[in-house]
Amino acid sequence: MTSEIQQRLADVQAEIAAACQAAGRSPDEVTLVAVSKTHPAEEVVTAFEAGQVDFGENRPEEAVEKIAQLKTLQPDAGLRWHMIGHVQSRKARLVVGRFVLVHSLDSMKLAEKLSRLAQEEALTLDMLLEINISGEQSKYGFEATKWKNSRSVRESLWDDIQSMLNMPGIRLRGLMTMAPIVEDQELARPVFAGLRELRDTLRQEFPQSQWDVLSMGMTDDFGVAIEEGATLVRIGRAIFGPRMVR
Ligand SMILES: *Cc1c(COP(=O)(O)O)cnc(C)c1O
């Protein structure tokens, strides 16, 4: 078990390095977030012992429990936790102060709630805007499918972003998206390219923020995501194997 996770981790790191090289990028530009959802805390320890420090979870309750277990198992580990899944606003309190980055800021309502909670705790939370580029109904995120062609889509998104930039306690660091599940990762490329173009545009529209993080790419499509500029990839199955039943 142990060696299996460590071997897979090494394979993923090698694939990331190869994708960076092919794209003429430095591997230092890409952070690997190991997505441990459904897997027990012991497997996180195994990956940590192999040098992995950034971990992602997609459900607040599961994450809170695992973070507490890790504190017991590895008190000095200095693990960095990322919230990558939808946070219902009634669960918002669970993510405050526990994560280095919330990738899934997907509504104004959640932004307002997190801003308020962060102020109560005198914290500033780093976040990514989750963007729905693919247009799939099933996806969370700010609607931006037609941002290039539709003035009204842009205006609405720009208004929301301006409001969030004015909210105390939250700091927008960049964008996150999920590509559709496709057979061939080439089919995900336009989604990733679209997110990068949107990021480049936001850099010009809202220079008060850095927009330096692009969270995109999972087990089946991270190679293409890196070619299209991902600075952070979220990889679960390729490291931990098939997901456990919750
Ligand atoms: C589960 C999950 C991942 C990882 O998916 P894999 O296909 O296992 O690599 C990445 N991002 C989000 C938001 C997820 O929920």
PDB file of all heavy atoms in Angstrom, residues 197-233:
ATOM      1  N   GLU A 197      -7.225  32.811 -20.982  1.00  0.00           N
ATOM      2  CA  GLU A 197      -7.523  34.083 -21.650  1.00  0.00           C
ATOM      3  C   GLU A 197      -8.334  34.995 -20.744  1.00  0.00           C
ATOM      4  O   GLU A 197      -8.115  36.211 -20.708  1.00  0.00           O
ATOM      5  CB  GLU A 197      -8.309  33.839 -22.943  1.00  0.00           C
ATOM      6  CG  GLU A 197      -7.470  33.287 -24.062  1.00  0.00           C
ATOM      7  CD  GLU A 197      -8.358  32.895 -25.242  1.00  0.00           C
ATOM      8  OE1 GLU A 197      -9.054  33.771 -25.785  1.00  0.00           O
ATOM      9  OE2 GLU A 197      -8.370  31.692 -25.583  1.00  0.00           O
ATOM     10  N   LEU A 198      -9.280  34.392 -20.007  1.00  0.00           N
ATOM     11  CA  LEU A 198     -10.072  35.198 -19.081  1.00  0.00           C
ATOM     12  C   LEU A 198      -9.161  35.787 -18.006  1.00  0.00           C
ATOM     13  O   LEU A 198      -9.252  36.966 -17.657  1.00  0.00           O
ATOM     14  CB  LEU A 198     -11.169  34.337 -18.449  1.00  0.00           C
ATOM     15  CG  LEU A 198     -12.033  35.010 -17.386  1.00  0.00           C
ATOM     16  CD1 LEU A 198     -12.738  36.255 -17.943  1.00  0.00           C
ATOM     17  CD2 LEU A 198     -13.080  34.022 -16.844  1.00  0.00           C
ATOM     18  N   ARG A 199      -8.241  34.977 -17.503  1.00  0.00           N
ATOM     19  CA  ARG A 199      -7.286  35.471 -16.492  1.00  0.00           C
ATOM     20  C   ARG A 199      -6.477  36.643 -17.057  1.00  0.00           C
ATOM     21  O   ARG A 199      -6.299  37.673 -16.398  1.00  0.00           O
ATOM     22  CB  ARG A 199      -6.373  34.321 -16.063  1.00  0.00           C
ATOM     23  CG  ARG A 199      -5.510  34.594 -14.837  1.00  0.00           C
ATOM     24  CD  ARG A 199      -4.207  35.311 -15.152  1.00  0.00           C
ATOM     25  NE  ARG A 199      -3.464  34.733 -16.248  1.00  0.00           N
ATOM     26  CZ  ARG A 199      -2.540  33.791 -16.127  1.00  0.00           C
ATOM     27  NH1 ARG A 199      -2.235  33.320 -14.946  1.00  0.00           N
ATOM     28  NH2 ARG A 199      -1.906  33.331 -17.186  1.00  0.00           N
ATOM     29  N   ASP A 200      -6.002  36.500 -18.294  1.00  0.00           N
ATOM     30  CA  ASP A 200      -5.198  37.574 -18.898  1.00  0.00           C
ATOM     31  C   ASP A 200      -6.020  38.860 -19.019  1.00  0.00           C
ATOM     32  O   ASP A 200      -5.511  39.958 -18.805  1.00  0.00           O
ATOM     33  CB  ASP A 200      -4.667  37.142 -20.271  1.00  0.00           C
ATOM     34  CG  ASP A 200      -3.666  35.988 -20.166  1.00  0.00           C
ATOM     35  OD1 ASP A 200      -3.177  35.725 -19.049  1.00  0.00           O
ATOM     36  OD2 ASP A 200      -3.394  35.348 -21.206  1.00  0.00           O
ATOM     37  N   THR A 201      -7.288  38.694 -19.344  1.00  0.00           N
ATOM     38  CA  THR A 201      -8.169  39.861 -19.468  1.00  0.00           C
ATOM     39  C   THR A 201      -8.413  40.505 -18.101  1.00  0.00           C
ATOM     40  O   THR A 201      -8.385  41.734 -17.972  1.00  0.00           O
ATOM     41  CB  THR A 201      -9.504  39.432 -20.119  1.00  0.00           C
ATOM     42  OG1 THR A 201      -9.202  38.823 -21.379  1.00  0.00           O
ATOM     43  CG2 THR A 201     -10.432  40.615 -20.327  1.00  0.00           C
ATOM     44  N   LEU A 202      -8.624  39.674 -17.095  1.00  0.00           N
ATOM     45  CA  LEU A 202      -8.856  40.218 -15.749  1.00  0.00           C
ATOM     46  C   LEU A 202      -7.631  40.969 -15.235  1.00  0.00           C
ATOM     47  O   LEU A 202      -7.763  41.956 -14.513  1.00  0.00           O
ATOM     48  CB  LEU A 202      -9.246  39.098 -14.768  1.00  0.00           C
ATOM     49  CG  LEU A 202     -10.589  38.422 -15.039  1.00  0.00           C
ATOM     50  CD1 LEU A 202     -10.838  37.298 -14.038  1.00  0.00           C
ATOM     51  CD2 LEU A 202     -11.731  39.430 -15.002  1.00  0.00           C
ATOM     52  N   ARG A 203      -6.455  40.491 -15.620  1.00  0.00           N
ATOM     53  CA  ARG A 203      -5.227  41.194 -15.207  1.00  0.00           C
ATOM     54  C   ARG A 203      -5.241  42.638 -15.696  1.00  0.00           C
ATOM     55  O   ARG A 203      -4.754  43.537 -15.028  1.00  0.00           O
ATOM     56  CB  ARG A 203      -4.002  40.502 -15.790  1.00  0.00           C
ATOM     57  CG  ARG A 203      -3.504  39.402 -14.907  1.00  0.00           C
ATOM     58  CD  ARG A 203      -2.132  38.928 -15.377  1.00  0.00           C
ATOM     59  NE  ARG A 203      -1.568  38.034 -14.383  1.00  0.00           N
ATOM     60  CZ  ARG A 203      -0.762  37.014 -14.638  1.00  0.00           C
ATOM     61  NH1 ARG A 203      -0.397  36.759 -15.875  1.00  0.00           N
ATOM     62  NH2 ARG A 203      -0.318  36.272 -13.664  1.00  0.00           N
ATOM     63  N   GLN A 204      -5.798  42.828 -16.895  1.00  0.00           N
ATOM     64  CA  GLN A 204      -5.852  44.193 -17.431  1.00  0.00           C
ATOM     65  C   GLN A 204      -7.002  44.990 -16.835  1.00  0.00           C
ATOM     66  O   GLN A 204      -6.858  46.173 -16.545  1.00  0.00           O
ATOM     67  CB  GLN A 204      -5.994  44.131 -18.953  1.00  0.00           C
ATOM     68  CG  GLN A 204      -4.788  43.430 -19.549  1.00  0.00           C
ATOM     69  CD  GLN A 204      -4.731  43.474 -21.051  1.00  0.00           C
ATOM     70  OE1 GLN A 204      -5.759  43.622 -21.716  1.00  0.00           O
ATOM     71  NE2 GLN A 204      -3.545  43.348 -21.597  1.00  0.00           N
ATOM     72  N   GLU A 205      -8.142  44.322 -16.645  1.00  0.00           N
ATOM     73  CA  GLU A 205      -9.331  45.021 -16.136  1.00  0.00           C
ATOM     74  C   GLU A 205      -9.198  45.367 -14.647  1.00  0.00           C
ATOM     75  O   GLU A 205      -9.726  46.381 -14.204  1.00  0.00           O
ATOM     76  CB  GLU A 205     -10.582  44.146 -16.309  1.00  0.00           C
ATOM     77  CG  GLU A 205     -10.995  43.901 -17.739  1.00  0.00           C
ATOM     78  CD  GLU A 205     -11.674  45.128 -18.352  1.00  0.00           C
ATOM     79  OE1 GLU A 205     -12.332  45.901 -17.624  1.00  0.00           O
ATOM     80  OE2 GLU A 205     -11.524  45.308 -19.577  1.00  0.00           O
ATOM     81  N   PHE A 206      -8.578  44.458 -13.906  1.00  0.00           N
ATOM     82  CA  PHE A 206      -8.511  44.618 -12.448  1.00  0.00           C
ATOM     83  C   PHE A 206      -7.069  44.461 -11.963  1.00  0.00           C
ATOM     84  O   PHE A 206      -6.726  43.493 -11.273  1.00  0.00           O
ATOM     85  CB  PHE A 206      -9.408  43.580 -11.751  1.00  0.00           C
ATOM     86  CG  PHE A 206     -10.856  43.651 -12.144  1.00  0.00           C
ATOM     87  CD1 PHE A 206     -11.374  42.756 -13.079  1.00  0.00           C
ATOM     88  CD2 PHE A 206     -11.702  44.609 -11.601  1.00  0.00           C
ATOM     89  CE1 PHE A 206     -12.717  42.815 -13.459  1.00  0.00           C
ATOM     90  CE2 PHE A 206     -13.040  44.680 -11.974  1.00  0.00           C
ATOM     91  CZ  PHE A 206     -13.542  43.789 -12.905  1.00  0.00           C
ATOM     92  N   PRO A 207      -6.214  45.403 -12.322  1.00  0.00           N
ATOM     93  CA  PRO A 207      -4.789  45.250 -11.994  1.00  0.00           C
ATOM     94  C   PRO A 207      -4.510  45.335 -10.493  1.00  0.00           C
ATOM     95  O   PRO A 207      -3.394  45.023 -10.068  1.00  0.00           O
ATOM     96  CB  PRO A 207      -4.121  46.406 -12.756  1.00  0.00           C
ATOM     97  CG  PRO A 207      -5.199  47.389 -13.016  1.00  0.00           C
ATOM     98  CD  PRO A 207      -6.491  46.633 -13.078  1.00  0.00           C
ATOM     99  N   GLN A 208      -5.512  45.713  -9.707  1.00  0.00           N
ATOM    100  CA  GLN A 208      -5.284  45.776  -8.251  1.00  0.00           C
ATOM    101  C   GLN A 208      -5.111  44.377  -7.656  1.00  0.00           C
ATOM    102  O   GLN A 208      -4.678  44.233  -6.522  1.00  0.00           O
ATOM    103  CB  GLN A 208      -6.427  46.525  -7.547  1.00  0.00           C
ATOM    104  CG  GLN A 208      -7.805  45.900  -7.638  1.00  0.00           C
ATOM    105  CD  GLN A 208      -8.597  46.375  -8.854  1.00  0.00           C
ATOM    106  OE1 GLN A 208      -8.111  46.376  -9.982  1.00  0.00           O
ATOM    107  NE2 GLN A 208      -9.838  46.784  -8.616  1.00  0.00           N
ATOM    108  N   SER A 209      -5.480  43.347  -8.417  1.00  0.00           N
ATOM    109  CA  SER A 209      -5.302  41.976  -7.942  1.00  0.00           C
ATOM    110  C   SER A 209      -4.268  41.281  -8.824  1.00  0.00           C
ATOM    111  O   SER A 209      -4.078  41.653  -9.973  1.00  0.00           O
ATOM    112  CB  SER A 209      -6.647  41.256  -8.015  1.00  0.00           C
ATOM    113  OG  SER A 209      -6.680  40.182  -7.132  1.00  0.00           O
ATOM    114  N   GLN A 210      -3.593  40.255  -8.262  1.00  0.00           N
ATOM    115  CA  GLN A 210      -2.489  39.623  -9.004  1.00  0.00           C
ATOM    116  C   GLN A 210      -2.945  38.629 -10.070  1.00  0.00           C
ATOM    117  O   GLN A 210      -2.305  38.479 -11.089  1.00  0.00           O
ATOM    118  CB  GLN A 210      -1.594  38.872  -8.016  1.00  0.00           C
ATOM    119  CG  GLN A 210      -0.903  39.747  -7.011  1.00  0.00           C
ATOM    120  CD  GLN A 210       0.483  40.124  -7.480  1.00  0.00           C
ATOM    121  OE1 GLN A 210       1.216  39.289  -7.964  1.00  0.00           O
ATOM    122  NE2 GLN A 210       0.819  41.381  -7.346  1.00  0.00           N
ATOM    123  N   TRP A 211      -4.007  37.902  -9.788  1.00  0.00           N
ATOM    124  CA  TRP A 211      -4.495  36.873 -10.720  1.00  0.00           C
ATOM    125  C   TRP A 211      -3.380  35.905 -11.095  1.00  0.00           C
ATOM    126  O   TRP A 211      -3.208  35.547 -12.249  1.00  0.00           O
ATOM    127  CB  TRP A 211      -5.089  37.524 -11.983  1.00  0.00           C
ATOM    128  CG  TRP A 211      -6.157  38.523 -11.670  1.00  0.00           C
ATOM    129  CD1 TRP A 211      -6.060  39.880 -11.778  1.00  0.00           C
ATOM    130  CD2 TRP A 211      -7.482  38.266 -11.183  1.00  0.00           C
ATOM    131  NE1 TRP A 211      -7.235  40.476 -11.377  1.00  0.00           N
ATOM    132  CE2 TRP A 211      -8.122  39.514 -11.015  1.00  0.00           C
ATOM    133  CE3 TRP A 211      -8.185  37.092 -10.863  1.00  0.00           C
ATOM    134  CZ2 TRP A 211      -9.420  39.631 -10.541  1.00  0.00           C
ATOM    135  CZ3 TRP A 211      -9.485  37.216 -10.393  1.00  0.00           C
ATOM    136  CH2 TRP A 211     -10.084  38.471 -10.237  1.00  0.00           C
ATOM    137  N   ASP A 212      -2.589  35.502 -10.114  1.00  0.00           N
ATOM    138  CA  ASP A 212      -1.425  34.678 -10.454  1.00  0.00           C
ATOM    139  C   ASP A 212      -1.690  33.167 -10.418  1.00  0.00           C
ATOM    140  O   ASP A 212      -0.862  32.402 -10.885  1.00  0.00           O
ATOM    141  CB  ASP A 212      -0.210  35.042  -9.577  1.00  0.00           C
ATOM    142  CG  ASP A 212      -0.535  35.048  -8.087  1.00  0.00           C
ATOM    143  OD1 ASP A 212      -1.729  34.914  -7.725  1.00  0.00           O
ATOM    144  OD2 ASP A 212       0.396  35.189  -7.295  1.00  0.00           O
ATOM    145  N   VAL A 213      -2.830  32.749  -9.893  1.00  0.00           N
ATOM    146  CA  VAL A 213      -3.069  31.310  -9.776  1.00  0.00           C
ATOM    147  C   VAL A 213      -4.118  30.840 -10.786  1.00  0.00           C
ATOM    148  O   VAL A 213      -5.206  31.412 -10.884  1.00  0.00           O
ATOM    149  CB  VAL A 213      -3.544  30.945  -8.345  1.00  0.00           C
ATOM    150  CG1 VAL A 213      -3.742  29.437  -8.213  1.00  0.00           C
ATOM    151  CG2 VAL A 213      -2.551  31.441  -7.298  1.00  0.00           C
ATOM    152  N   LEU A 214      -3.779  29.791 -11.515  1.00  0.00           N
ATOM    153  CA  LEU A 214      -4.725  29.143 -12.435  1.00  0.00           C
ATOM    154  C   LEU A 214      -4.822  27.681 -12.023  1.00  0.00           C
ATOM    155  O   LEU A 214      -3.916  26.890 -12.298  1.00  0.00           O
ATOM    156  CB  LEU A 214      -4.223  29.193 -13.873  1.00  0.00           C
ATOM    157  CG  LEU A 214      -4.628  30.326 -14.790  1.00  0.00           C
ATOM    158  CD1 LEU A 214      -4.152  30.019 -16.213  1.00  0.00           C
ATOM    159  CD2 LEU A 214      -6.127  30.585 -14.783  1.00  0.00           C
ATOM    160  N   SER A 215      -5.925  27.337 -11.351  1.00  0.00           N
ATOM    161  CA  SER A 215      -6.113  25.970 -10.853  1.00  0.00           C
ATOM    162  C   SER A 215      -6.920  25.187 -11.874  1.00  0.00           C
ATOM    163  O   SER A 215      -8.125  25.372 -12.012  1.00  0.00           O
ATOM    164  CB  SER A 215      -6.832  26.024  -9.503  1.00  0.00           C
ATOM    165  OG  SER A 215      -7.254  24.740  -9.100  1.00  0.00           O
ATOM    166  N   MET A 216      -6.248  24.333 -12.629  1.00  0.00           N
ATOM    167  CA  MET A 216      -6.956  23.536 -13.638  1.00  0.00           C
ATOM    168  C   MET A 216      -6.149  22.298 -13.983  1.00  0.00           C
ATOM    169  O   MET A 216      -4.922  22.327 -13.991  1.00  0.00           O
ATOM    170  CB  MET A 216      -7.264  24.385 -14.884  1.00  0.00           C
ATOM    171  CG  MET A 216      -6.070  25.065 -15.540  1.00  0.00           C
ATOM    172  SD  MET A 216      -6.613  26.243 -16.809  1.00  0.00           S
ATOM    173  CE  MET A 216      -5.071  26.458 -17.728  1.00  0.00           C
ATOM    174  N   GLY A 217      -6.856  21.198 -14.226  1.00  0.00           N
ATOM    175  CA  GLY A 217      -6.213  19.935 -14.555  1.00  0.00           C
ATOM    176  C   GLY A 217      -6.377  18.924 -13.437  1.00  0.00           C
ATOM    177  O   GLY A 217      -6.114  19.229 -12.275  1.00  0.00           O
ATOM    178  N   MET A 218      -6.859  17.726 -13.813  1.00  0.00           N
ATOM    179  CA  MET A 218      -7.073  16.629 -12.883  1.00  0.00           C
ATOM    180  C   MET A 218      -6.402  15.381 -13.482  1.00  0.00           C
ATOM    181  O   MET A 218      -5.675  15.474 -14.460  1.00  0.00           O
ATOM    182  CB  MET A 218      -8.581  16.408 -12.660  1.00  0.00           C
ATOM    183  CG  MET A 218      -9.309  17.724 -12.480  1.00  0.00           C
ATOM    184  SD  MET A 218     -11.009  17.759 -11.872  1.00  0.00           S
ATOM    185  CE  MET A 218     -11.695  16.178 -12.125  1.00  0.00           C
ATOM    186  N   THR A 219      -6.662  14.217 -12.899  1.00  0.00           N
ATOM    187  CA  THR A 219      -5.979  12.996 -13.343  1.00  0.00           C
ATOM    188  C   THR A 219      -6.001  12.806 -14.864  1.00  0.00           C
ATOM    189  O   THR A 219      -4.982  12.473 -15.454  1.00  0.00           O
ATOM    190  CB  THR A 219      -6.615  11.765 -12.647  1.00  0.00           C
ATOM    191  OG1 THR A 219      -6.239  11.801 -11.271  1.00  0.00           O
ATOM    192  CG2 THR A 219      -6.133  10.451 -13.265  1.00  0.00           C
ATOM    193  N   ASP A 220      -7.163  13.028 -15.482  1.00  0.00           N
ATOM    194  CA  ASP A 220      -7.280  12.687 -16.903  1.00  0.00           C
ATOM    195  C   ASP A 220      -6.861  13.796 -17.857  1.00  0.00           C
ATOM    196  O   ASP A 220      -6.839  13.580 -19.070  1.00  0.00           O
ATOM    197  CB  ASP A 220      -8.731  12.284 -17.214  1.00  0.00           C
ATOM    198  CG  ASP A 220      -9.100  10.983 -16.515  1.00  0.00           C
ATOM    199  OD1 ASP A 220      -8.209  10.132 -16.346  1.00  0.00           O
ATOM    200  OD2 ASP A 220     -10.275  10.833 -16.128  1.00  0.00           O
ATOM    201  N   ASP A 221      -6.584  14.977 -17.327  1.00  0.00           N
ATOM    202  CA  ASP A 221      -6.330  16.068 -18.276  1.00  0.00           C
ATOM    203  C   ASP A 221      -5.235  17.046 -17.836  1.00  0.00           C
ATOM    204  O   ASP A 221      -5.097  18.122 -18.405  1.00  0.00           O
ATOM    205  CB  ASP A 221      -7.644  16.830 -18.574  1.00  0.00           C
ATOM    206  CG  ASP A 221      -8.334  17.344 -17.311  1.00  0.00           C
ATOM    207  OD1 ASP A 221      -7.647  17.526 -16.292  1.00  0.00           O
ATOM    208  OD2 ASP A 221      -9.553  17.570 -17.360  1.00  0.00           O
ATOM    209  N   PHE A 222      -4.410  16.663 -16.849  1.00  0.00           N
ATOM    210  CA  PHE A 222      -3.471  17.665 -16.327  1.00  0.00           C
ATOM    211  C   PHE A 222      -2.349  18.021 -17.309  1.00  0.00           C
ATOM    212  O   PHE A 222      -1.805  19.123 -17.263  1.00  0.00           O
ATOM    213  CB  PHE A 222      -2.933  17.279 -14.945  1.00  0.00           C
ATOM    214  CG  PHE A 222      -1.997  16.103 -14.883  1.00  0.00           C
ATOM    215  CD1 PHE A 222      -0.635  16.277 -15.066  1.00  0.00           C
ATOM    216  CD2 PHE A 222      -2.472  14.827 -14.617  1.00  0.00           C
ATOM    217  CE1 PHE A 222       0.234  15.200 -14.981  1.00  0.00           C
ATOM    218  CE2 PHE A 222      -1.608  13.740 -14.525  1.00  0.00           C
ATOM    219  CZ  PHE A 222      -0.253  13.923 -14.720  1.00  0.00           C
ATOM    220  N   GLY A 223      -2.024  17.088 -18.233  1.00  0.00           N
ATOM    221  CA  GLY A 223      -0.972  17.392 -19.210  1.00  0.00           C
ATOM    222  C   GLY A 223      -1.349  18.591 -20.075  1.00  0.00           C
ATOM    223  O   GLY A 223      -0.586  19.555 -20.221  1.00  0.00           O
ATOM    224  N   VAL A 224      -2.558  18.539 -20.599  1.00  0.00           N
ATOM    225  CA  VAL A 224      -3.057  19.624 -21.439  1.00  0.00           C
ATOM    226  C   VAL A 224      -3.222  20.907 -20.611  1.00  0.00           C
ATOM    227  O   VAL A 224      -2.910  22.006 -21.071  1.00  0.00           O
ATOM    228  CB  VAL A 224      -4.395  19.199 -22.097  1.00  0.00           C
ATOM    229  CG1 VAL A 224      -5.152  20.389 -22.633  1.00  0.00           C
ATOM    230  CG2 VAL A 224      -4.123  18.197 -23.209  1.00  0.00           C
ATOM    231  N   ALA A 225      -3.694  20.759 -19.375  1.00  0.00           N
ATOM    232  CA  ALA A 225      -3.881  21.942 -18.520  1.00  0.00           C
ATOM    233  C   ALA A 225      -2.545  22.656 -18.293  1.00  0.00           C
ATOM    234  O   ALA A 225      -2.469  23.891 -18.319  1.00  0.00           O
ATOM    235  CB  ALA A 225      -4.513  21.539 -17.190  1.00  0.00           C
ATOM    236  N   ILE A 226      -1.487  21.881 -18.085  1.00  0.00           N
ATOM    237  CA  ILE A 226      -0.165  22.492 -17.879  1.00  0.00           C
ATOM    238  C   ILE A 226       0.286  23.199 -19.157  1.00  0.00           C
ATOM    239  O   ILE A 226       0.802  24.316 -19.120  1.00  0.00           O
ATOM    240  CB  ILE A 226       0.854  21.430 -17.411  1.00  0.00           C
ATOM    241  CG1 ILE A 226       0.532  21.026 -15.960  1.00  0.00           C
ATOM    242  CG2 ILE A 226       2.283  21.949 -17.529  1.00  0.00           C
ATOM    243  CD1 ILE A 226       1.321  19.835 -15.449  1.00  0.00           C
ATOM    244  N   GLU A 227       0.052  22.571 -20.293  1.00  0.00           N
ATOM    245  CA  GLU A 227       0.406  23.239 -21.559  1.00  0.00           C
ATOM    246  C   GLU A 227      -0.334  24.558 -21.723  1.00  0.00           C
ATOM    247  O   GLU A 227       0.167  25.493 -22.324  1.00  0.00           O
ATOM    248  CB  GLU A 227       0.088  22.324 -22.754  1.00  0.00           C
ATOM    249  CG  GLU A 227       1.066  21.177 -22.907  1.00  0.00           C
ATOM    250  CD  GLU A 227       0.610  20.152 -23.944  1.00  0.00           C
ATOM    251  OE1 GLU A 227      -0.132  20.522 -24.891  1.00  0.00           O
ATOM    252  OE2 GLU A 227       0.972  18.988 -23.796  1.00  0.00           O
ATOM    253  N   GLU A 228      -1.547  24.620 -21.169  1.00  0.00           N
ATOM    254  CA  GLU A 228      -2.350  25.840 -21.316  1.00  0.00           C
ATOM    255  C   GLU A 228      -2.152  26.812 -20.155  1.00  0.00           C
ATOM    256  O   GLU A 228      -2.874  27.797 -20.045  1.00  0.00           O
ATOM    257  CB  GLU A 228      -3.833  25.481 -21.472  1.00  0.00           C
ATOM    258  CG  GLU A 228      -4.158  24.752 -22.768  1.00  0.00           C
ATOM    259  CD  GLU A 228      -3.796  25.562 -24.020  1.00  0.00           C
ATOM    260  OE1 GLU A 228      -3.802  26.808 -23.965  1.00  0.00           O
ATOM    261  OE2 GLU A 228      -3.504  24.930 -25.061  1.00  0.00           O
ATOM    262  N   GLY A 229      -1.196  26.537 -19.277  1.00  0.00           N
ATOM    263  CA  GLY A 229      -0.838  27.557 -18.293  1.00  0.00           C
ATOM    264  C   GLY A 229      -1.237  27.291 -16.852  1.00  0.00           C
ATOM    265  O   GLY A 229      -1.101  28.187 -16.006  1.00  0.00           O
ATOM    266  N   ALA A 230      -1.704  26.097 -16.524  1.00  0.00           N
ATOM    267  CA  ALA A 230      -2.055  25.792 -15.125  1.00  0.00           C
ATOM    268  C   ALA A 230      -0.868  26.099 -14.207  1.00  0.00           C
ATOM    269  O   ALA A 230       0.271  25.764 -14.527  1.00  0.00           O
ATOM    270  CB  ALA A 230      -2.445  24.322 -14.982  1.00  0.00           C
ATOM    271  N   THR A 231      -1.146  26.717 -13.058  1.00  0.00           N
ATOM    272  CA  THR A 231      -0.090  26.887 -12.053  1.00  0.00           C
ATOM    273  C   THR A 231      -0.330  25.934 -10.885  1.00  0.00           C
ATOM    274  O   THR A 231       0.487  25.839  -9.979  1.00  0.00           O
ATOM    275  CB  THR A 231      -0.038  28.325 -11.495  1.00  0.00           C
ATOM    276  OG1 THR A 231      -1.240  28.585 -10.776  1.00  0.00           O
ATOM    277  CG2 THR A 231       0.134  29.337 -12.607  1.00  0.00           C
ATOM    278  N   LEU A 232      -1.469  25.268 -10.914  1.00  0.00           N
ATOM    279  CA  LEU A 232      -1.829  24.380  -9.830  1.00  0.00           C
ATOM    280  C   LEU A 232      -2.710  23.283 -10.428  1.00  0.00           C
ATOM    281  O   LEU A 232      -3.672  23.588 -11.129  1.00  0.00           O
ATOM    282  CB  LEU A 232      -2.601  25.252  -8.836  1.00  0.00           C
ATOM    283  CG  LEU A 232      -2.721  24.789  -7.431  1.00  0.00           C
ATOM    284  CD1 LEU A 232      -2.951  25.965  -6.535  1.00  0.00           C
ATOM    285  CD2 LEU A 232      -3.893  23.872  -7.416  1.00  0.00           C
ATOM    286  N   VAL A 233      -2.322  22.030 -10.224  1.00  0.00           N
ATOM    287  CA  VAL A 233      -3.133  20.911 -10.708  1.00  0.00           C
ATOM    288  C   VAL A 233      -3.658  20.134  -9.504  1.00  0.00           C
ATOM    289  O   VAL A 233      -2.989  20.028  -8.486  1.00  0.00           O
ATOM    290  CB  VAL A 233      -2.340  19.982 -11.665  1.00  0.00           C
ATOM    291  CG1 VAL A 233      -2.065  20.682 -12.992  1.00  0.00           C
ATOM    292  CG2 VAL A 233      -1.029  19.498 -11.047  1.00  0.00           C
TER     293      VAL A 233
END
